[in-house]
C-alpha cells in the first residue's frame, strides 16, 4: 500500500507505526527543528522498522569550502544547516534509533567544481571521480568525509 501526504515533516498526519521503511534524502538540513522530524519518523515506523537518512556533510571538503566560497561570490541560500556524521548519529540515538550502517558519498572538491575551468576538468575526469568515490566511501576516515552522509538505522524499543 502506498501513502502520499503533503505535510510538514515535523508533523505528519498519519497513524503511528504505519511504515516498515522510511527514506529521507537531503531534507533534514532544510528543517530548523530537524530533531522533531526524527521523532516523527520514529513515531511512524513499526518496531524494527528501517530509516535511511541522507544529508550534506558539513565536515566534507565541500562543506568546509562552501561558506567562504559563497561569501566571496555573494551567494545567499535559504535555511541550510548541514550535519556531521557524529551529530546525526547522536540525534538518531536520542530519537530511539540504532545506527546499523553509515557511508560517505561524493568526494568532489566543493563549490569550486561549479565554476569554469574546474567544471570542464571535472566533467572530463568523471570515470576517475567515480572510481575514487567508490574506494573512498569504504575507507575510514573517508567513510564519514564525503559530501553526503547516508545513515541506515532501525527503530528500537516501542
Amino acid at each position: 500500500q502506498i501513502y502520499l501526504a503533503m505535510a510538514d515533516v515535523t508533523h505528519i498526519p498519519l497513524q503511528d507505526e504505519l511504515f516498515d521503511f522510511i527514506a529521507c534524502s537531503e531534507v533534514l538540513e532544510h528543517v530548523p527543528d530537524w530533531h522533531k522530524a526524527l521523532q516523527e519518523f520514529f513515531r511512524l515506523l513499526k518496531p524494527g522498522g528501517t530509516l535511511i537518512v541522507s544529508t550534506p556533510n558539513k565536515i566534507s571538503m565541500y562543506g568546509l569550502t562552501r561558506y567562504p566560497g559563497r561569501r566571496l561570490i555573494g551567494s545567499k541560500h535559504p535555511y541550510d544547516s548541514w550535519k556531521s556524521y557524529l551529530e546525526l548519529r547522536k540525534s538518531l540515538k536520542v530519537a530511539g534509533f540504532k545506527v546499523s550502517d553509515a557511508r560517505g558519498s561524493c568526494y568532489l572538491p566543493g563549490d569550486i567544481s561549479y565554476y569554469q575551468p574546474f567544471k570542464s576538468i571535472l566533467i572530463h575526469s568523471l570515470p576517475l571521480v567515480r572510481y575514487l568515490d567508490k574506494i573512498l566511501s569504504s575507507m575510514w576516515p573517508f567513510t564519514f568525509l564525503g559530501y553526503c552522509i547516508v545513515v541506515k538505522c532501525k527503530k528500537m524499543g516501542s
Side-chain angles (χ1 to χ4, degrees), residues 30-99:
H30 303 294
V31 180
D33 194 0
W34 64 282
H35 297 94
K36 191 169 181 188
L38 295 180
Q39 292 168 354
E40 197 61 355
F41 297 150
F42 187 87
R43 180 186 70 78
L44 291 169
L45 277 172
K46 294 176 183 175
T50 300
L51 171 65
I52 295 182
V53 176
S54 70
T55 185
N57 183 4
K58 70 180 173 187
I59 62 168
S60 65
M61 187 183 311
Y62 191 152
L64 295 172
T65 62
R66 73 191 279 260
Y67 292 110
R70 288 179 183 210
R71 271 194 208 104
L72 284 173
I73 63 170
S75 175
K76 296 198 188 261
H77 199 285
Y79 187 83
D80 194 21
S81 179
W82 291 14
K83 316 298 176 225
S84 70
Y85 167 69
L86 294 176
E87 183 179 14
L88 186 56
R89 183 181 74 183
K90 179 181 176 185
S91 295
L92 286 164
K93 185 178 178 181
V94 167
F97 292 99
K98 181 178 181 184
V99 173

